[in-house]
Amino acid sequence: MPSVFKDSDTHTPAGAAAHLAEEIARRAAHPRAGSPHVERCEVPLAAMEPAAWLAAQRQSERIFWSDREDRSAVAGVGAAAVEFRAVCADPHDLMGRIRELIGDAEGVRCYGGIRFDSDREQADHWRQFGGARFVLPRFELAARGGAAVLAVNLRFPEDRGQVSRIIEDLAQLRFAPADPGIPPAGVRRRVDTPGREDWLDIVGAAVDEINAGRMDKIVLARESRCELGSPADPFRLTARLAASAPGCFVFAFKPPDGAAFLGATPERLYRREGRRITSEALAGTRRRGETPAEDALLGEKLLTSRKEAQEHACVADAVRGALAALCREAAEEKGRELVKLARVQHLATRFAGVLRDGVGDADILARLHPTPAVGGAPTATARQRIRELEAFDRGWYAGPVGWIGADSAEFAVAIRSALAAGDTLRLYSGAGIVGGSHPDREWDEIENKIDNYLKLLAGP
């Protein structure tokens, strides 16, 4: 079990760090007997916002994860272990290694993600993310419901020989509010791939293929490369994104000396708790209205649109079929409903089931990713056409991001995301194309989806 000190309800940051240093030394001197394993130590801390705390840190390896429903959040600094795959065509070996690392350690999670398409050539700006990369953070600040803990993850026997360095790294953590730094300077220049005219041609050609019966649906995306007036701190941007994106998973992953991948996604790929699994179909989009009346009208149009119903049904049927293969029992939790976010609203159908014996996270990922919400249908045909039609590497965009624990896991679909490096921010978003799609409207849909980032870059 993770040790939680009970001598006081909460500690000051200095007190929490001092308690952790003592516990690190004690654990290293008297590690639990047995095979290689991870031990976790936690200290209650006065309430602190993980995203803001993370922005104050200077270590190169950092992660952030915020849950969609209960708004629990975790900020991770440093790495006790990293599992990296240059190519990850088959997740079984990767998941097996992560499970071996975690063992039965309570509260321990590895955080990371997987490329959308392992078969596509990797662009230079995505190379440090690889085909897959998962991190067991060295230090974590976790918050939920007004309470917080400061934690350290120790890996034995490897960490017995580096206790001094771990305690030194602990001493380097910063708890004062982050320097606000240079305010966002806005977008100096923006280059869209594809540009508007090319987009109209590509989407028009895809609609023709769908109407000819060669596909049912394809999701086409855009990379908008924004050159900023000054470098954007990705973790300050993440903190602002978390505050502006209710109803979304918010994430950020930064390998050492590389770009940071961050986003706010409304879409859960799946959550597993023991043998129980939940998943969802999220497809079909309208903007939010300026007034309650306009918003209700737009929602009603979304619910009654034949085109949006076709796009949503394609995703729901795929998720339903995947769960039927993975589960000994599965069902819709309720019928199709509206999900309203800050700038857009979607159609959603939610599913729950009980996994068959022997089915693990690798099997779930292989079956569910990519859903037609980010790829298309049929899956193989759509993926091949995405490679041919998109002139950029999606990288982790639209891939699975999330965490794996001892007896649970959760993955979201990394849409509405960005890759930040210095004064360059690449924004990624897509639109589902079916027979009734209009290229101009799909362009405008993506504009609406990325507008939240553009507003954040423009300052408060």
Side-chain angles (χ1 to χ4, degrees):
M1 291 182 64
S3 63
V4 180
F5 293 88
K6 301 293 187 182
D7 55 327
S8 147
D9 287 339
T10 60
H11 293 270
T12 64
H19 275 302
L20 274 189
E22 293 173 3
E23 186 69 1
I24 290 167
R26 187 187 72 80
R27 293 289 185 100
H30 306 285
R32 192 181 75 206
S35 58
H37 63 280
V38 172
E39 295 186 27
R40 178 180 177 86
C41 314
E42 297 178 351
V43 181
L45 189 68
M48 188 173 291
E49 171 52 51
W53 177 80
L54 193 61
Q57 308 311 312
R58 291 296 174 264
Q59 288 86 340
S60 56
E61 180 83 62
R62 285 180 276 175
I63 67 98
F64 178 81
W65 178 265
S66 176
D67 186 79
R68 187 179 69 181
E69 278 89 9
D70 64 14
R71 305 308 292 172
S72 62
V74 175
V77 173
V82 177
E83 194 62 43
F84 178 85
R85 292 288 186 278
V87 177
C88 187
D90 182 352
H92 283 82
D93 178 60
L94 172 68
M95 295 296 119
R97 291 290 297 271
I98 294 172
R99 297 231 54 82
E100 182 181 353
L101 169 66
I102 294 172
D104 60 357
E106 183 182 342
V108 173
R109 295 176 177 178
C110 284
Y111 297 85
I114 301 172
R115 272 176 69 80
F116 172 77
D117 187 353
S118 292
D119 292 332
R120 181 160 193 149
E121 184 178 355
Q122 198 168 60
D124 287 343
H125 49 269
W126 283 111
R127 293 201 183 280
Q128 285 194 297
F129 292 86
R133 190 175 192 276
F134 284 80
V135 176
L136 172 63
R138 173 64 76 194
F139 304 107
E140 295 177 22
L141 179 71
R144 180 177 182 177
V149 297
L150 183 66
V152 62
N153 295 309
L154 300 172
R155 187 182 181 191
F156 292 113
E158 290 85 352
D159 285 341
R160 290 196 69 182
Q162 50 184 352
V163 173
S164 296
R165 185 174 67 81
I166 295 171
I167 293 176
E168 288 173 7
D169 290 341
L170 172 63
Q172 296 301 311
L173 297 180
R174 300 181 177 197
F175 293 93
D179 183 333
I182 302 171
V187 178
R188 182 169 53 85
R189 180 171 177 263
R190 171 176 150 186
V191 178
D192 294 309
T193 304
R196 188 181 183 97
E197 293 305 314
D198 287 339
W199 171 266
L200 298 181
D201 291 341
I202 290 168
V203 173
V207 170
D208 289 342
E209 290 186 52
I210 291 167
N211 289 334
R214 290 190 284 274
M215 290 184 294
D216 297 321
K217 176 185 177 180
I218 186 170
V219 179
L220 295 174
R222 194 170 84 211
E223 178 190 80
S224 297
R225 191 179 76 252
C226 299
E227 297 175 8
L228 309 179
S230 60
D233 185 309
F235 295 101
R236 289 188 178 90
L237 188 58
T238 300
R240 299 184 70 195
L241 193 61
S244 68
C248 290
F249 299 97
V250 179
F251 59 86
F253 301 94
K254 186 184 182 302
D257 305 319
F261 181 57
L262 59 132
T265 173
E267 187 172 353
R268 169 179 283 135
L269 186 63
Y270 76 93
R271 182 179 179 93
R272 179 183 63 79
E273 297 181 79
R275 306 308 298 163
R276 298 196 62 81
I277 183 173
T278 56
S279 185
E280 64 193 29
L282 193 74
T285 305
R286 282 286 191 282
R287 66 176 177 85
R288 296 297 304 273
E290 297 294 331
T291 65
E294 183 191 23
D295 194 58
L297 179 61
L298 289 168
E300 183 62 25
K301 287 183 176 180
L302 177 57
L303 283 168
T304 57
S305 166
R306 183 176 179 181
K307 179 261 183 186
E308 303 293 354
Q310 178 186 357
E311 181 182 344
H312 182 80
C314 188
V315 181
D317 289 346
V319 174
R320 189 180 293 109
L323 292 182
L326 294 165
C327 298
R328 64 172 183 261
E329 56 181 79
E332 292 184 21
E333 290 189 317
K334 51 185 171 179
R336 194 179 63 177
E337 61 183 344
L338 282 176
V339 172
K340 292 181 178 286
L341 304 174
R343 298 195 59 80
V344 296
Q345 47 192 318
H346 298 292
L347 295 175
T349 303
R350 308 191 194 281
F351 301 88
V354 179
L355 295 168
R356 299 180 191 276
D357 292 343
V359 171
D361 292 301
D363 304 296
I364 301 169
L365 287 166
R367 279 280 185 177
L368 283 177
H369 174 71
T371 73
V374 291
T379 301
T381 302
R383 289 183 81 166
Q384 180 58 39
R385 291 300 285 141
I386 288 170
R387 294 182 198 120
E388 295 164 353
L389 293 172
E390 291 183 356
F392 64 93
D393 176 17
R394 289 189 177 192
W396 278 21
Y397 162 70
V401 294
W403 55 266
I404 300 170
D407 197 32
S408 57
E410 181 161 48
F411 282 88
V413 183
I415 55 175
R416 322 284 162 82
S417 51
L419 189 70
D423 60 1
T424 299
L425 186 72
R426 289 178 165 87
L427 304 177
Y428 298 93
S429 196
I433 311 303
V434 294
S437 295
H438 296 275
D440 279 307
R441 294 177 190 170
E442 305 302 337
W443 176 275
D444 292 343
E445 179 181 315
I446 291 178
E447 283 294 299
N448 197 40
K449 289 173 179 176
I450 69 173
D451 191 57
N452 190 37
Y453 283 98
L454 300 177
K455 281 183 166 54
L456 293 179
L457 292 170

